[in-house]
Amino acid sequence: MTAELLIKNGVVYDPTNDVDGEVMDLCIKDGKIVDKVSDNAKVIDAKGRAVIPGKVECHSHMVGATPTSARILRPEDIRVRLSSATGVRRGGGGRTVPTTWEVGYEYAKLGFTRAYEAAVTPLYARQACREFDRMPILGKGIFILMGNNWMIMDYLTSREQDKITAYVAFLLRATGGYAVKIVNPGGNEAYKWNTEWNCHHADDPVPYFGVTPREIIKGLCTANEELCLPHSIHLHVNKIGTPGNYEVTLEELNITKNIEVKCDSGRAQNTHATHLQYHAYGGDSWGTFESKADEIAKYINHHDHVTGDSGNVIFGDATTMTADSPAEWGLYKMTHNKLITGDTEAEDSVGILPFLYSKKSPVHAAMWAIGLELQLLTDPWKMFVTTDHPNGGVFFDYPLVYSWLMSEKARMDIAENIHPWALKRTGLGGIDKEYTFYELVIATSAGPARAMGVSKTEGHLGIGAKANIAIWDVNPLETDFSRDSAVDKLSSAAYTIKDGEVVVKDGEVVCAPMAPIERVLPQVEHDIQKAVEEEIKTRFKRYYTLQFENYMVDPELYLSKSDRIEVVSGKLHVIPHEIPRDVET
Amino acid sequence: MYELITHEEKCHGCGNCVVACPVNADIDPAVAGGKGPETDEVIMRVENGVVKILNRDMCRGCGTCIESCPVDAIELKVNYR
Ligand code: SF4
Ligand code: SF4
Ligand SMILES: [Zn+2]
Ligand SMILES: [Zn+2]
């Protein structure tokens, strides 16, 4: 079967190829963009409609043990939003912690064709793989938490970088992971010994291990580059959500400055710093709390080794969930909301707590403004729109963020009606920049695709790219987004196309194919790999409640629908889970 | 001097004493991780559902196993001289 599609006369936005609102046709054959199709191709009339590459969610919490525990912690969440089964969709619901299938449908309605799960401990990778196997439409990958891992800290103590690299490779292979995630390096381990302990800056040693966050970040970034992984390290720096933390953020971003990027995936950064809104605070107490988004933006604009995402706050109900359990413990002491705080053996920790962002709260109002400030002041190729779903807000509400970025009026309407700190303690009031539609496409699609290491085939619309496309019922050439709200125009896609197949039409899911999980299989030299595996086995007996043999995620059982990315002498080779059928024979 | 003795008729084989014993944990990493020993070089282990002392003379008399036994099936006898 040869599926051909012709998208006619669309207003195309393809920043990677410098196409800024040109009226042109796109031809699709066998899931890819090609230069021409036959007369039999199905035609989509896109006249007067914006055509963009499918959006890429670079940081979201949707599958694995944490969202699953959050669903149990918040049975009320599914009551606020229920959706019934249709001929295509399964029934489901939930808002801050939607059911697995819902996540796929709803992201697709917003024009997303790819999303990454941002925090999974190796021990619970099975759960994440199983859920991803049941998340339709989206391409996907899992970030594996490594920033508080005992083996890594042990190897740092003995200064055996080659073993850290080999162990990182082992962990990714063992779990079906896509990237290395670091959350509050060392601090979560400190918290597990004493709830009042943490690592407060880059050189604050981890109790009982003696290594510092600086060494953890450097060691893992070095390993990441030695293994030539498609994505860089994905870093949640220390001191989240505390006044004055911007100095720690800048200090930690600077750690990897001189580590060379060794990867042919198209990324330029060696560190992606996530939800930076929560890490851009000045002052020395909540009383003197203020924005330092300008400092963070300035740093990133001037340094090519870092990309970031915003972590915007949206007023209303959220569910905070992070491996940064000391931060959750802090929120618990503040709110006394229900809390899950957990210890994942020798690997990391977890915290979950429902949270309400209030317009009347001075700090929340300022946080809202800081997220926007950060996004508006930073190069969109280096700063991507996220809400750290569901920490700062839910992904359903992305169109609100788009509208605030694209219209000064829209954001000032909010700023003037919330606590005055939104304008008094931040620089938002002085920013007249408004995102163009082109810039929005950079910050939601082309930019994150590049940083995630998939830009060869995604996040653009050039010949050979995967046909992942979103079409909107709006012509940006004739629309003034500074007056006409982007919320109305960008809340549901006219079409979302995944691998050449129409999955959303007129804002409804019409087809829900399952896309594979992508996992990397990095290699290190045989001898060192063997040595490390032997050492791990012994430590396993001592540190873990389960046996080594049961630790590895069985690829047959859990990852049968996965694309394998092999890294052979620095080059990435994607091995699809199914050999595409040969159309000629 | 002290002497480790067991009352096999009371023991229900839970293995608490085996994993609680610091000497065992030091010898065998599997015990430290809360699992059954993989060597005979430990003080005691559970065999056929009953505690069995293998190396009585390695006991250092700390009493941890006695604390951990729910049915008083293990005992540290102190011989005053
Ligand atoms: S007394 Fe202490 S050293 Fe002796 S067997 Fe019991 S736990 Fe082990
Ligand atoms: S002696 Fe007590 S603690 Fe040891 S296995 Fe028997 S019942 Fe359990
Ligand atoms: Zn985080
Ligand atoms: Zn996150």
Side-chain angles (χ1 to χ4, degrees):
Chain A
M1 192 187 72
T2 309
E4 289 187 317
L5 206 58
L6 175 63
I7 302 172
K8 251 186 125 55
N9 294 322
V11 186
V12 176
Y13 290 82
D14 180 8
T16 306
N17 297 309
D18 296 317
V19 179
D20 182 2
E22 280 172 40
V23 176
M24 54 199 262
D25 296 346
L26 286 180
C27 301
I28 296 162
K29 190 179 172 184
D30 297 330
K32 294 219 166 67
I33 296 179
V34 292
D35 57 353
K36 60 175 189 296
V37 282
S38 73
D39 294 343
N40 301 328
K42 205 182 130 212
V43 177
I44 291 177
D45 178 16
K47 191 162 187 284
R49 289 164 152 179
V51 178
I52 70 167
K55 290 190 240 169
V56 176
E57 172 62 276
C58 67
H59 187 111
S60 172
H61 302 267
M62 32 188 180
V63 295
T66 312
T68 303
S69 306
R71 290 178 194 124
I72 298 166
L73 182 73
R74 302 205 62 183
E76 73 278 13
D77 191 69
I78 203 161
R79 310 250 168 234
V80 283
R81 201 189 137 272
L82 267 174
S83 80
S84 28
T86 68
V88 179
R89 290 177 69 138
R90 297 193 177 205
R95 206 177 143 274
T96 68
V97 280
T99 50
T100 311
W101 294 84
E102 281 295 297
V103 175
Y105 305 139
E106 293 298 324
Y107 262 120
K109 276 172 67 176
L110 288 170
F112 283 85
T113 50
R114 169 170 290 281
Y116 290 92
E117 165 52 48
V120 170
T121 44
L123 263 176
Y124 295 133
R126 266 185 191 78
Q127 168 76 13
C129 295
R130 270 285 198 260
E131 279 192 72
F132 258 169
D133 254 359
R134 287 154 179 76
M135 182 173 292
I137 303 171
L138 302 172
K140 49 226 171 186
I142 299 167
F143 302 166
I144 300 296
L145 288 161
M146 303 192 190
N148 292 273
N149 187 298
W150 290 10
M151 324 283 177
I152 288 168
M153 291 194 285
D154 277 350
Y155 285 139
L156 281 168
T157 312
S158 54
R159 301 193 182 283
E160 294 174 282
Q161 178 65 46
D162 51 345
K163 289 191 178 169
I164 296 174
T165 306
Y167 181 62
V168 168
F170 160 79
L171 273 184
L172 288 169
R173 285 198 314 272
T175 56
Y178 180 79
V180 175
K181 177 75 185 296
I182 307 170
V183 171
N184 192 33
N188 302 347
E189 176 59 25
Y191 168 85
K192 294 198 290 186
W193 293 96
N194 181 327
T195 53
E196 304 314 313
W197 289 358
N198 202 342
C199 287
H200 298 280
H201 55 83
D203 298 304
D204 194 2
V206 187
Y208 307 116
F209 283 92
V211 301
T212 61
R214 181 186 303 279
E215 290 166 325
I216 297 172
I217 294 168
K218 202 169 172 189
L220 285 172
C221 185
T222 306
N224 199 96
E225 296 311 324
E226 279 175 7
L227 296 173
C228 305
L229 300 180
H231 186 38
S232 63
I233 54 166
H234 198 101
L235 174 64
H236 154 149
V237 296
N238 294 89
K239 288 303 271 182
I240 191 170
T242 29
N245 64 7
Y246 84 103
E247 285 177 336
V248 176
T249 308
L250 293 178
E251 183 72 39
E252 295 194 350
L253 294 186
N254 215 28
I255 291 170
T256 54
K257 194 165 109 187
N258 296 321
I259 298 177
E260 192 195 338
V261 177
K262 287 191 214 149
C263 178
D264 74 339
S265 75
R267 69 176 157 94
Q269 90 282 9
N270 63 26
T271 302
H272 177 89
T274 188
H275 45 60
L276 282 167
Q277 178 274 126
Y278 292 100
H279 304 276
Y281 304 156
D284 51 18
S285 69
W286 291 114
T288 55
F289 178 82
E290 59 173 349
S291 168
K292 287 285 179 187
D294 52 341
E295 297 286 334
I296 305 289
K298 194 164 81 192
Y299 184 91
I300 296 180
N301 286 337
H302 284 98
H303 292 86
D304 285 338
H305 72 285
V306 183
T307 56
D309 62 82
S310 56
N312 276 287
V313 156
I314 298 168
F315 297 110
D317 184 27
T319 301
T320 62
M321 56 177 74
T322 168
D324 194 332
S325 42
E328 295 286 356
W329 180 244
L331 287 179
Y332 169 75
K333 284 190 288 185
M334 218 157 22
T335 61
H336 287 280
N337 287 353
K338 51 189 175 182
L339 167 80
I340 289 177
T341 185
D343 170 353
T344 320
E345 306 203 5
E347 298 180 339
D348 221 301
S349 64
V350 65
I352 310 168
L353 174 133
F355 195 78
L356 190 72
Y357 291 100
S358 157
K359 292 182 179 173
K360 294 197 190 114
S361 154
V363 171
H364 299 175
M367 287 165 86
W368 170 84
I370 293 169
L372 297 174
E373 210 188 339
L374 193 61
Q375 186 71 52
L376 289 164
L377 293 176
T378 318
D379 177 355
W381 282 108
K382 291 180 172 178
M383 183 67 69
F384 318 130
V385 179
T386 67
T387 60
D388 189 12
H389 167 86
N391 281 285
V394 297
F395 73 82
F396 297 89
D397 288 340
Y398 271 142
L400 282 173
V401 182
Y402 305 157
S403 74
W404 298 327
L405 293 172
M406 295 175 97
S407 162
E408 191 184 1
K409 182 179 170 300
R411 57 181 184 257
M412 289 312 281
D413 281 350
I414 305 271
E416 282 159 5
N417 290 300
I418 58 179
H419 194 281
W421 274 25
L423 296 175
K424 274 201 189 128
R425 297 295 179 95
T426 79
L428 188 68
I431 301 176
D432 55 8
K433 179 173 175 61
E434 293 180 334
Y435 259 50
T436 62
F437 191 75
Y438 184 72
E439 285 170 317
L440 188 70
V441 177
I442 298 173
T444 55
S445 172
R450 182 182 289 182
M452 294 312 307
V454 294
S455 60
K456 285 193 177 154
T457 51
E458 295 191 44
H460 75 98
L461 300 171
I463 306 293
K466 289 187 187 169
N468 294 338
I469 299 167
I471 304 177
W472 305 92
D473 256 332
V474 60
N475 183 350
L477 298 176
E478 290 168 4
T479 310
D480 180 3
F481 283 105
S482 65
R483 284 187 298 111
D484 295 340
S485 171
V487 180
D488 304 335
K489 312 250 183 295
L490 302 178
S491 282
S492 62
Y495 287 90
T496 304
I497 296 166
K498 168 71 182 157
D499 293 327
E501 199 164 354
V502 175
V503 289
V504 171
K505 188 165 185 275
D506 301 328
E508 294 299 329
V509 178
V510 292
C511 157
M514 205 55 77
I517 300 170
E518 278 171 17
R519 60 187 174 117
V520 291
L521 294 163
Q523 294 291 342
V524 292
E525 207 203 310
H526 183 75
D527 293 352
I528 186 91
Q529 181 182 320
K530 268 257 146 334
V532 165
E533 275 182 23
E534 281 315 307
E535 287 179 23
I536 299 168
K537 279 182 188 158
T538 313
R539 289 180 205 203
F540 236 83
K541 290 179 186 163
R542 188 173 287 278
Y543 294 158
Y544 279 83
T545 55
L546 82 175
Q547 302 284 2
F548 182 79
E549 290 70 24
N550 300 328
Y551 185 66
M552 316 284 280
V553 176
D554 185 339
E556 292 287 308
L557 279 173
Y558 292 85
L559 290 158
S560 55
K561 276 177 280 182
S562 66
D563 283 356
R564 288 173 291 143
I565 303 172
E566 307 244 353
V567 193
V568 183
S569 39
K571 295 262 179 285
L572 304 176
H573 299 271
V574 181
I575 302 161
H577 68 299
E578 272 177 355
I579 310 299
R581 259 172 293 184
D582 192 342
V583 287
E584 310 306 332
T585 54
Chain B
M1 273 306 288
Y2 47 80
E3 190 188 356
L4 190 69
I5 47 174
T6 56
H7 305 286
E8 296 192 357
E9 71 288 358
K10 288 189 193 168
C11 174
H12 62 187
C14 64
N16 283 1
C17 56
V18 181
V19 292
C21 172
V23 176
N24 283 359
D26 198 42
I27 295 166
D28 188 337
V31 174
K35 296 173 278 275
E38 293 175 353
T39 145
D40 295 340
E41 299 304 309
V42 287
I43 299 176
M44 72 295 226
R45 71 172 175 214
V46 176
E47 275 180 16
N48 295 325
V50 183
V51 64
K52 181 167 179 216
I53 293 178
L54 301 173
N55 295 289
R56 198 181 306 262
D57 50 344
M58 277 159 42
C59 170
R60 312 284 292 273
C62 69
T64 311
C65 57
I66 288 104
E67 291 293 324
S68 74
C69 179
V71 292
D72 296 330
I74 192 160
E75 193 187 333
L76 205 57
K77 206 163 144 203
V78 184
N79 302 321
Y80 297 99
R81 280 200 284 164

